[in-house]
Amino acid sequence: MSVINAVVGLGAPVMMPILFLVMGLVFGLGFGKSFKAGMLVGIGFVGVSLVINYLLDALGSATQAMVDRLGLHLTVLDVGWGTASTIGWGSPLVPVVVVTLLVVNALLLVVGLTKTIDIDIFNYWIFLLVGAVAYAASGRFWIGVAACVIAFVLSLVVGDLIAPFVQKQYDLRGISFPHFTCLNFVPIGIVVNWAVEHTPGLRKVDINPEKIAKRFGVLGDPIVIGLLLGLLMGMGGGIGVDDTVLLGVKVAASMYILPKMIDILVEGLTTVRDGAEIRLKKWFPNREFYFGMDTALLIGEPAVLATGVLLIPIALVLAFILPGNKVLPFVDLPSLMFLMALVTPFCKRNMFRMLLTGTVALVLIMYAGSDLGVWFAQSAGQSGIEVPSGTPEITNLVGGATTPVGWLLIRLAAIFGA
């Protein structure tokens, strides 16, 4: 655990080069090729992180202004994925859960029940968060551990099932995304897509970056879409002309630069994947394997970015009008784009269908957050995190606990722990 905690504590930019260097050596690529591949992955992660953080920071001020402008006063505060990940990694469950998940993944690979080698260890915080809140709800350590393991196994299984569709959409052969949060909303995307397909009139509505570009020329370019979205966000927040224009340029820059950073990461990833594919076919002639990665690789898709930005005002309106909602969307609002990363292939990159899916997802997230707020705050206390003064209940929007399956696991934990 000391080694695992030390590596995880260094963050993805250091952890991923180490992992890919080791994997490259294991799969016979040689030190030089493995080192370069690992460094490209690390450099790519640095670039992706810089651009995403730049975008989230840029949207943060406009988001706060919109919250203040609407005058929302709700009792369950969205503290964001950063705090939620700290709750997960600070949980008493960590030593048992991390080792257990690594062993479970290995066993499932050996017996052929999964194709995914989940190397996205940092995002174990999502499983740990589900377990931490389940532990708080049940008061029983092993129920919390069981919730983590169930969420992990479900992510591997569903990640395997949808991998061919995601690989085709994003041109990422040999990659899967066992990301518990995002996977929860794939069934909703499938149902929404089916419903729209069978609704006269609605099925003809097709909004995607290519069709916008074809119809409106330069206005459909991702740079221009980013500029317009930034300007709309700024005007919605009333942050002033100068800041609004600056926000528009920042969103446009992010939409242009992010795919290029992802290309660097994928170059290193592809080198190791190709080497692994050759070696694994020799070791296991009739088996196919995937590397489990973070959905940050998918955020550069213009449809995902644009839909995520449009979901911010929708979330605020929902918070205002949903009967019984107690969640104040705040810190995680700029991160809503992550919810759409795995939905995209199943909605055919149609942003209209993605927005409908995102709206349904937000409704479920807010009601789950309203229900789990007290236990969420208790899990923070168990992880040594101080809840903001005057805020007895907390939540976050893009963590596993407030997903439909996460909520169900925590509710079942409370029943079994009673």
Side-chain angles (χ1 to χ4, degrees):
M1 279 309 306
S2 296
V3 173
I4 291 172
N5 284 331
V7 173
V8 170
L10 293 172
V14 176
M15 181 177 68
M16 297 310 289
I18 294 172
L19 283 173
F20 275 86
L21 170 62
V22 172
M23 285 192 295
L25 293 173
V26 168
F27 295 126
L29 293 178
F31 181 82
K33 202 169 184 179
S34 301
F35 177 77
K36 183 179 179 181
M39 287 303 297
L40 284 172
V41 171
I43 291 166
F45 262 106
V46 169
V48 169
S49 299
L50 286 172
V51 178
I52 289 178
N53 289 333
Y54 179 76
L55 176 61
L56 299 186
D57 288 343
L59 291 171
S61 58
T63 298
Q64 183 170 356
M66 291 177 74
V67 171
D68 295 340
R69 207 173 194 189
L70 286 171
L72 296 175
H73 298 289
L74 300 164
T75 57
V76 181
L77 178 65
D78 161 32
V79 295
W81 74 266
T83 300
S85 67
T86 306
I87 293 172
W89 281 113
S91 167
L93 305 174
V94 168
V96 173
V97 167
V98 172
V99 173
T100 301
L101 297 188
L102 292 171
V103 171
V104 166
N105 194 177
L107 289 175
L108 292 177
L109 284 165
V110 169
V111 299
L113 293 179
T114 186
K115 301 176 182 178
T116 296
I117 305 166
D118 189 3
I119 58 175
D120 185 22
I121 295 174
F122 175 76
N123 276 327
Y124 277 15
W125 73 264
I126 297 172
F127 310 117
L128 287 162
L129 178 65
V130 173
V133 181
Y135 178 28
S138 65
R140 299 191 182 184
F141 182 89
W142 291 107
I143 289 180
V145 173
C148 292
V149 175
I150 292 170
F152 181 68
V153 172
L154 287 173
S155 296
L156 292 176
V157 172
V158 179
D160 282 354
L161 289 174
I162 72 166
F165 302 96
V166 178
Q167 290 170 9
K168 182 179 179 181
Q169 175 66 67
Y170 292 99
D171 193 24
L172 290 171
R173 185 168 56 87
I175 306 298
S176 69
F177 296 90
H179 195 286
F180 182 72
T181 301
C182 300
L183 289 169
N184 264 266
F185 303 109
V186 169
I188 297 173
I190 293 172
V191 171
V192 167
N193 187 72
W194 181 90
V196 171
E197 286 280 3
H198 291 80
T199 305
L202 287 184
R203 63 174 167 236
K204 294 182 180 179
V205 180
D206 189 3
I207 305 172
N208 65 54
E210 285 73 28
K211 292 201 172 181
I212 294 173
K214 185 176 180 180
R215 183 168 183 178
F216 297 104
V218 70
L219 294 178
D221 189 284
I223 296 175
V224 179
I225 292 174
L227 176 64
L228 294 175
L229 289 173
L231 293 175
L232 288 172
M233 280 291 297
M235 289 186 285
I239 59 177
V241 175
D242 292 350
D243 288 337
T244 296
V245 173
L246 182 59
L247 177 60
V249 175
K250 286 182 176 180
V251 176
S254 300
M255 291 191 73
Y256 182 76
I257 297 171
L258 188 55
K260 298 184 181 302
M261 296 299 101
I262 292 172
D263 286 344
I264 296 172
L265 190 155
V266 170
E267 182 182 348
L269 182 65
T270 301
T271 301
V272 176
R273 182 202 66 197
D274 291 346
E277 191 172 51
I278 294 170
R279 187 59 61 96
L280 288 171
K281 281 183 177 178
K282 290 181 180 178
W283 293 343
F284 307 98
N286 300 316
R287 293 283 304 277
E288 183 181 19
F289 293 92
Y290 304 141
F291 289 142
M293 296 292 290
D294 188 351
T295 49
L297 280 177
L298 311 179
I299 301 303
E301 160 64 50
V304 173
L305 273 173
T307 305
V309 174
L310 291 171
L311 283 175
I312 295 174
I314 291 174
L316 292 171
V317 171
L318 288 174
F320 190 78
I321 67 173
L322 284 178
N325 172 60
K326 298 190 294 181
V327 172
L328 174 62
F330 186 40
V331 181
D332 258 349
L333 282 172
S335 302
L336 293 179
M337 62 191 74
F338 285 92
L339 299 180
M340 295 294 98
L342 296 179
V343 168
T344 308
F346 303 95
C347 289
K348 302 179 180 179
R349 297 183 71 243
N350 186 330
M351 290 189 289
F352 171 69
R353 301 180 187 190
M354 291 168 68
L355 276 174
L356 291 178
T357 302
T359 301
V360 174
L362 284 170
V363 171
L364 297 175
I365 287 169
M366 288 187 189
Y367 280 129
S370 298
D371 184 48
L372 304 178
V374 172
W375 291 330
F376 211 112
Q378 290 175 6
S379 70
Q382 291 172 344
S383 299
I385 303 212
E386 292 186 12
V387 176
S389 178
T391 309
E393 299 179 55
I394 61 174
T395 189
N396 88 299
L397 302 181
V398 298
T402 52
T403 61
V405 177
W407 174 84
L408 180 61
L409 288 172
I410 293 164
R411 269 291 162 190
L412 288 174
I415 292 170
F416 286 113

